[in-house]
Amino acid sequence: MKKRKIVVALGGNAIQTGDASAEAQQRALDETANYLAEMIDSGAELIITHGNGPQVGNLMIQQKEADSPKTPAMPLETCVSMTQGMIGYWMQNALDKALKAKGINKHAATVITRVAVHSDDEAFRNPTKPIGPFYSEDEAKELMNSQNGDIVFKEDAGRGWRRVVPSPIPVSILEYDIINQLVENGHIVIAAGGGGVPVLEEDHTICGVDAVIDKDFAACKLAELVQADELIILTGVDYVAVDYLKPTEKQLKHVTTEELKGYIKEKQFAEGSMLPKVKAALQFAEIKRGNKTIITSLQQAKEALKGNAGTVVEQA
């Protein structure tokens, strides 16, 4: 029986829970890996993607504070690759432990992934992607003034102010064939971490660009290129909801792409949190009939595979 090839996009809460220390993030990943191991045990072939917003933001701060002629700060796209390796390493260790506990003889491999974008993407003129820690409005304005406007902060869904950077749309993933070969040979792959390293392909050269690609859109593009059966987007809630936190709140358990477009027009989903996930879910479901996207929590992932949990997005 053919196994289901699934791209899993992990939300930030799967890695960081408020404590930014390496030890705390590794503990969070130990718990995350247990849920992923359950999915693997049920017969799924996983390609795992993850966010890196807090990690890359913190790394940029460290780079800036240590900047000197002897230790020059690394550019944003290089910091994205650094956090891909860091989180991938932690996740590989966590998965090895969880899989061994279940008697599953598999290992994970991290692929440092480059994601091609267009140089004329509107995102480079309008930065929107939040990275790094939260600040008060006063703190954010003080930081912007101190950098002479070179960095931009915006309010993030009522949770505080965060630095925002360009978030261009992914148009291709350079390593997708390598990733697919690894999966076809029975390996678990961690790829497109933090949305992948954004690169431009021009004049037969590849160069990085300062940006952070949304990890859900990168996961969608990866799922398309490897011809995955499903895209599962894991976040902090069991279901997508309309009229969220209102007396009329309604959980969406099965929604068509056309219904979802209507909810987007009604502005039902917050721009900094649920909207990118919903748009990525919609995009993958519309690539071809039969594609399915599920949005749910990490805790409900195994039940979602059985069809018992989560918001399922499909064409009518």
Side-chain angles (χ1 to χ4, degrees):
M1 179 175 156
K2 182 179 180 294
K3 291 189 176 182
R4 293 152 72 188
K5 186 189 297 180
I6 298 173
V7 172
V8 176
L10 289 172
N13 60 335
I15 306 167
Q16 188 165 305
T17 56
D19 182 343
S21 68
E23 294 79 11
Q25 292 182 78
Q26 289 174 77
R27 286 195 299 271
L29 279 168
D30 280 342
E31 183 176 349
T32 294
N34 289 327
Y35 290 109
L36 295 173
E38 288 182 350
M39 298 174 73
I40 294 162
D41 196 30
S42 70
E45 296 282 9
L46 295 190
I47 302 170
I48 302 162
T49 71
H50 58 80
N52 73 340
Q55 292 82 6
V56 76
N58 290 344
L59 181 56
M60 288 293 291
I61 292 169
Q62 292 167 4
Q63 292 285 315
K64 186 70 176 175
E65 291 184 351
D67 189 24
S68 73
K70 287 188 176 181
T71 57
M74 294 294 105
L76 175 56
E77 41 85 15
T78 299
C79 289
V80 172
S81 70
M82 292 164 73
T83 55
Q84 272 197 44
M86 176 182 74
I87 295 170
Y89 158 63
W90 290 340
M91 195 175 295
Q92 285 175 220
N93 287 344
L95 278 168
D96 274 0
K97 183 163 61 174
L99 292 169
K100 283 178 183 175
K102 286 186 171 294
I104 300 172
N105 186 26
K106 276 180 173 280
H107 294 281
T110 299
V111 175
I112 301 300
T113 312
R114 297 166 296 171
V115 179
V117 300
H118 285 314
S119 60
D120 60 355
D121 193 300
E122 174 63 27
F124 291 111
R125 293 181 289 276
N126 179 32
T128 59
K129 179 67 177 173
I131 64 171
F134 290 93
Y135 295 92
S136 69
E137 183 175 357
D138 289 342
E139 289 172 329
K141 288 180 177 177
E142 184 178 338
L143 285 166
M144 283 191 282
N145 290 334
S146 69
Q147 297 297 317
N148 298 316
D150 289 341
I151 58 175
V152 179
F153 285 77
K154 291 183 180 179
E155 198 275 329
D156 183 5
R159 297 177 292 180
W161 287 63
R162 294 176 78 187
R163 182 183 173 187
V164 290
V165 298
S167 184
I169 297 296
V171 296
S172 185
I173 294 178
L174 275 57
E175 287 76 20
Y176 84 87
D177 192 46
I178 297 167
I179 293 164
N180 209 29
Q181 287 179 46
L182 287 167
V183 175
E184 294 292 338
N185 285 319
H187 303 295
I188 304 157
V189 182
I190 303 160
V197 181
V199 298
L200 300 174
E201 296 181 282
E202 296 177 343
D203 299 324
H204 306 291
T205 63
I206 296 170
C207 61
V209 60
D210 272 1
V212 173
I213 298 168
D214 184 275
K215 69 103 175 37
D216 295 312
F217 286 120
C220 175
K221 178 55 68 175
L222 181 57
E224 174 191 350
L225 291 172
V226 302
Q227 299 182 338
D229 299 297
E230 295 175 29
L231 169 63
I232 297 184
I233 298 174
L234 299 178
T235 185
V237 293
D238 294 345
Y239 296 90
V240 178
V242 294
D243 291 347
Y244 185 59
L245 297 180
K246 297 178 182 177
T248 52
E249 179 178 321
K250 173 188 171 185
Q251 292 181 337
L252 303 177
K253 297 190 176 178
H254 192 285
V255 61
T256 67
T257 52
E258 288 305 310
E259 289 171 332
L260 204 54
K261 287 177 185 177
Y263 290 132
I264 291 172
K265 284 183 180 178
E266 294 173 6
K267 300 187 182 302
Q268 286 282 356
F269 311 114
E271 290 217 14
S273 54
M274 187 56 74
L275 184 60
K277 297 171 177 58
V278 168
K279 284 185 172 180
L282 178 64
Q283 184 176 318
F284 181 69
E286 287 199 317
I287 290 168
K288 68 176 183 180
R289 189 167 295 279
N291 275 11
K292 179 195 294 185
T293 311
I294 303 172
I295 303 176
T296 192
S297 64
L298 179 64
Q299 293 75 15
Q300 292 296 319
K302 185 179 179 182
E303 288 302 307
L305 282 179
K306 299 176 185 176
N308 298 330
T311 296
V312 178
V313 182
E314 293 180 289
Q315 293 187 48

